[in-house]
DNA sequence: ATGGCCGGGAACCCCGGA
């Protein structure tokens, strides 16, 4: 089984990349973030033509999340049930017996911003909801754009980034609290190395210079952990014309 | 690294992103 996550920074612009990637990679589930479109604009027909079902929780201009799968998509949940939120950041479903949660975590903008407090509150609500989800679903994967680089290995220049969002102690603590629920950062099951990133700024030739952050993650429950075969960051889409600033992260699991 | 790049939407600038 292959599970993936990709912040596409506008599905309207990135649909050709997504369709090409689906055909080439044939995932069992692809989670998208920042579709930036209302449900009425979501390309259900084009995906169906490529052999994929999809569910979407979208809004105009900002946010928006989706799950794409060739399989039946069951028991769909939109939004955090325990947090009143205008922003469309959560969609979840059960696919082939695995609970798949797609999350677009708040950016937070700056540590002294109201948006940062919203980020911490949102992460706290996510934490409590995942506790409930784990009680109901032994096999669970939490995929998405976390907007958190878990430690200094996940940041190209920790000194330059000190005091910024995405690397702060508060955000990293929230990430560790998710792991403490019995979740594992699947990428770290296979590599302890620094320098592997999933996002690079559009400016300053950051991708070419590998000045990035690892902020897109696939967390897996204890029941899935022994099934993990590989977790890889696919840098190919970041090299295309008009790329998203994020690139896909892909987890391969044994079937049982 | 923080001006520099993107995308969206409303108007050719501003906001938000990371």
């Amino acid at each position: 089984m292959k599970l993936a996550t990709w912040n596409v920074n506008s599905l309207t612009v990135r649909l050709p990349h997504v369709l090409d990637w689906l055909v080439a990679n044939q995932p069992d589930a692809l989670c998208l973030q920042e579709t930036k479109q209302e449900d009425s604009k979501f390309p259900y027909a084009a995906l169906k033509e490529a052999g994929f079902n999809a569910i979407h929780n979208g809004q105009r201009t900002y946010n928006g999340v989706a799950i794409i799968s060739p399989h039946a998509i069951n028991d769909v949940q939109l939004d955090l049930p325990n947090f009143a939120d205008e922003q469309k950041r959560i969609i979840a479903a059960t696919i082939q017996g695995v609970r798949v949660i797609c999350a677009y975590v708040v950016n937070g903008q700056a540590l002294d911003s109201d948006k940062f407090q919203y980020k911490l509150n949102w992460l706290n609500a996510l934490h409590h909801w995942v506790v409930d989800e784990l009680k109901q679903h032994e096999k669970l994967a939490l995929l998405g754009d976390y907007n958190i680089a878990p430690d200094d290995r996940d940041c190209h220049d920790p000194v330059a980034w000190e005091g910024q969002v995405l690397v702060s102690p508060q955000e990293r603590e929230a990430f560790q609290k998710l792991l403490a629920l019995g979740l594992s950062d699947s990428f770290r099951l296979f590599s302890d190395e620094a320098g592997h990133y999933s996002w690079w700024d559009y400016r300053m030739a950051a991708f070419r210079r590998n000045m990035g952050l690892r902020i897109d993650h696939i967390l897996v429950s204890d029941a899935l952990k022994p099934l993990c075969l590989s977790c890889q960051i696919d840098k190919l889409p970041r090299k295309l014309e008009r790329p998203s600033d994020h690139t896909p992260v892909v987890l391969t699991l044994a079937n049982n």
Side-chain angles (χ1 to χ4, degrees):
Chain A
M1 186 178 207
K2 192 186 284 187
L3 305 178
T5 182
W6 190 3
N7 179 325
V8 291
N9 186 21
S10 170
L11 185 56
T12 307
V13 175
R14 231 65 67 193
L15 181 60
H17 291 186
V18 172
L19 289 171
D20 287 349
W21 193 89
L22 286 168
V23 170
N25 291 274
Q26 295 296 323
D28 294 285
L30 171 62
C31 296
L32 302 182
Q33 302 85 39
E34 289 208 84
T35 58
K36 296 187 177 179
Q37 58 193 187
E38 291 175 338
D39 292 338
S40 62
K41 301 274 177 69
F42 187 82
Y44 292 105
L47 291 165
K48 178 56 79 180
E49 189 139 335
F52 292 90
N53 302 310
I55 54 172
H56 182 229
N57 186 21
Q59 65 186 98
R60 201 181 72 152
T61 311
Y62 303 115
N63 310 308
V65 283
I67 301 174
I68 298 168
S69 173
H71 310 296
I73 301 176
N74 300 311
D75 198 8
V76 175
Q77 164 85 32
L78 308 183
D79 305 322
L80 292 170
N82 57 338
F83 188 82
D85 195 1
E86 298 295 307
Q87 304 190 15
K88 302 302 187 186
R89 297 180 173 279
I90 288 284
I91 193 165
T94 303
I95 297 169
Q96 302 282 93
V98 176
R99 191 62 172 165
V100 175
I101 301 177
C102 172
Y104 175 44
V105 177
V106 178
N107 173 290
Q109 201 165 62
L111 297 189
D112 59 359
S113 161
D114 290 344
K115 291 173 183 172
F116 187 70
Q117 200 54 53
Y118 165 54
K119 180 176 194 171
L120 296 180
N121 293 340
W122 193 95
L123 283 164
N124 185 52
L126 175 69
H127 176 96
H128 288 293
W129 177 55
V130 170
V131 170
D132 287 344
E133 286 286 288
L134 281 167
K135 286 177 190 160
Q136 295 170 56
H137 308 279
E138 195 175 40
K139 291 183 174 178
L140 181 147
L142 177 53
L143 306 91
D145 177 358
Y146 284 67
N147 273 317
I148 301 171
D151 65 59
D152 282 353
R153 292 173 298 175
D154 305 310
C155 175
H156 70 96
D157 189 344
V159 173
W161 275 84
E162 197 168 353
Q164 309 284 329
V165 289
L166 318 196
V167 301
S168 74
Q170 298 99 306
E171 293 161 271
R172 287 176 168 176
E173 185 185 344
F175 188 83
Q176 292 303 318
K177 275 186 71 180
L178 286 171
L179 298 187
L181 297 178
L183 296 171
S184 300
D185 178 352
S186 59
F187 182 81
R188 288 296 177 210
L189 298 176
F190 300 99
S191 173
D192 292 324
E193 290 178 356
H196 295 281
Y197 309 127
S198 63
W199 169 87
W200 301 262
D201 200 306
Y202 283 120
R203 296 169 291 185
M204 304 183 69
F207 180 64
R208 182 178 55 75
R209 298 158 72 189
N210 200 30
M211 297 165 62
L213 300 174
R214 192 175 69 92
I215 54 177
D216 301 271
H217 308 297
I218 303 177
L219 270 50
V220 292
S221 63
D222 285 336
L224 287 184
K225 186 178 174 184
L227 304 180
C228 291
L229 298 176
S230 72
C231 180
Q232 295 180 317
I233 298 169
D234 180 2
K235 291 168 81 167
L236 290 176
R238 190 63 177 77
K239 301 176 181 177
L240 300 171
E241 290 294 317
R242 274 190 103 181
S244 171
D245 44 356
H246 298 250
T247 211
V249 180
V250 186
L251 173 68
T252 305
L253 293 154
N255 285 328
N256 48 35

